Amino acid sequence: MNKFFKGIALGAAASLMALSFAACSEGDVSSNGSGASEGSDTASLDLVSDGKLIMGTNAAFPPFEYQEGGEVVGVDAELVGEIAERLGLELEIKDMEFESLSGALSGGTIDVIAAGFTVEPDREETMDFTNTYFTAKQTILVLADSGYNTADDLENKKIGGQTSTTGLTCAEELTTKENIIGYSNGSLAVEALLGGAVDAVIIDNNPANEYKDQHGDKLKLIVDQFPEEDYAMAVKKGNASLLNAINEALDEIKADGTFDKIIADYIK
């Protein structure tokens, strides 16, 4: 082959190679789309609705979740919002009765429970928990002039609390089942206490402090009567892809200081 035709052949080959590389490059971009890694990771998650993280909660548990201006706000709402953003998902919050959360999770209407939710062995049988993110204790609320000062003073007394919570489990240690009254949320239990329907309410320490602030000198707190509990989020049993993704995001949030900022915004 003479030099002229050899030059043409080499030039044509180079052009074909360039077009081939360009085609491969364009194919990679289009298959990944914008935010390629996020799209791929999101597609691998087992979600109720594609592109959404649906959080179930009971928004009557300040400062972890409560209603403000028609929206659910609080520690859990902001924390799960941050997790959703890092996973490239839109957050949707469903506010429901606390005792309905487990059924909603197993029934596939929510992806995750975040509700000041304590890790307990019986709950672990039906759902999978994320890494823990907060430690709390049960606190007793009584009327300021009740004369009650310790848990022992509540033996055989009427005790209220939020249905399906560890507060009522603690109450079982102090009184008979007939004397234990469950309410759909902590606020109603406190109203029952103020109205004389129960002698005490047992609820987590941070909401207890919120209710004490709301009602001032009418209430008294009895603290450090029960062991510590760990809060975690819960996903449907066996949903390993979502569990791992939430744990990774939660670890990042803790490591970069975002978690501490969220806590500082709501718990003084």
Side-chain angles (χ1 to χ4, degrees):
M1 183 181 294
N2 66 38
K3 290 183 180 180
F4 176 75
F5 286 109
K6 186 175 181 180
I8 293 175
L10 288 172
S15 297
L16 287 171
M17 287 182 68
L19 287 170
S20 175
F21 280 125
C24 288
S25 177
E26 288 174 3
D28 289 344
V29 171
S30 62
S31 65
N32 289 329
S34 59
S37 62
E38 284 187 5
S40 177
D41 290 342
T42 299
S44 71
L45 298 179
D46 183 4
L47 299 168
V48 172
S49 178
D50 289 344
K52 280 188 178 181
L53 183 64
I54 303 177
M55 165 186 158
T57 196
N58 176 246
F61 194 71
F64 284 86
E65 38 271 325
Y66 56 97
Q67 290 279 349
E68 185 174 88
E71 294 185 358
V72 178
V73 298
V75 172
D76 285 331
E78 192 164 337
L79 180 58
V80 179
E82 185 69 28
I83 289 170
E85 184 176 340
R86 295 187 187 213
L87 296 180
L89 300 171
E90 175 190 351
L91 176 64
E92 178 182 334
I93 300 178
K94 291 189 176 182
D95 183 14
M96 60 185 69
E97 299 296 331
F98 188 85
E99 59 266 32
S100 300
L101 290 170
S102 297
L105 186 65
S106 62
T109 58
I110 60 174
D111 295 302
V112 59
I113 297 173
F117 209 53
T118 301
V119 179
E120 291 186 316
D122 60 334
R123 289 174 176 169
E124 289 179 305
E125 293 177 4
T126 60
M127 60 189 73
D128 289 331
F129 281 98
T130 66
N131 297 336
T132 60
Y133 62 91
F134 198 82
T135 300
K137 280 186 178 182
Q138 295 298 311
T139 292
I140 301 169
L141 278 162
V142 296
L143 295 177
D145 59 359
S146 65
Y148 303 138
N149 296 300
T150 69
D152 291 340
D153 294 334
L154 299 176
E155 185 176 356
N156 296 324
K157 303 296 183 183
K158 287 187 177 180
I159 301 175
Q162 188 172 6
T163 302
S164 301
T165 64
T166 51
L168 293 191
T169 303
C170 291
E172 292 176 3
E173 302 172 13
L174 306 175
T175 192
T176 62
K177 287 188 177 181
E178 293 76 17
N179 281 332
I180 298 173
I181 304 175
Y183 297 88
S184 60
N185 59 63
S187 180
L188 290 176
V190 172
E191 290 298 330
L193 172 63
L194 292 167
V198 295
D199 299 298
V201 167
I202 303 178
I203 196 166
D204 297 44
N205 56 312
N206 284 290
N209 279 290
E210 292 279 343
Y211 293 130
K212 174 70 171 69
D213 289 343
Q214 289 175 22
H215 298 287
D217 294 339
K218 294 179 181 179
L219 299 177
K220 179 174 71 173
L221 303 183
I222 303 175
V223 300
D224 296 328
Q225 304 293 297
F226 305 103
E228 289 186 341
E229 302 173 4
D230 290 319
Y231 289 172
M233 289 163 251
V235 301
K236 190 174 183 178
K237 194 74 175 176
N239 192 348
S241 63
L242 182 58
L243 183 71
N244 293 335
I246 290 175
N247 277 334
E248 288 178 9
L250 185 58
D251 287 346
E252 289 177 4
I253 289 166
K254 288 179 178 179
D256 66 17
T258 303
F259 178 78
D260 290 337
K261 182 181 181 302
I262 292 172
I263 293 296
D265 285 343
Y266 291 97
I267 300 176
K268 307 302 180 185

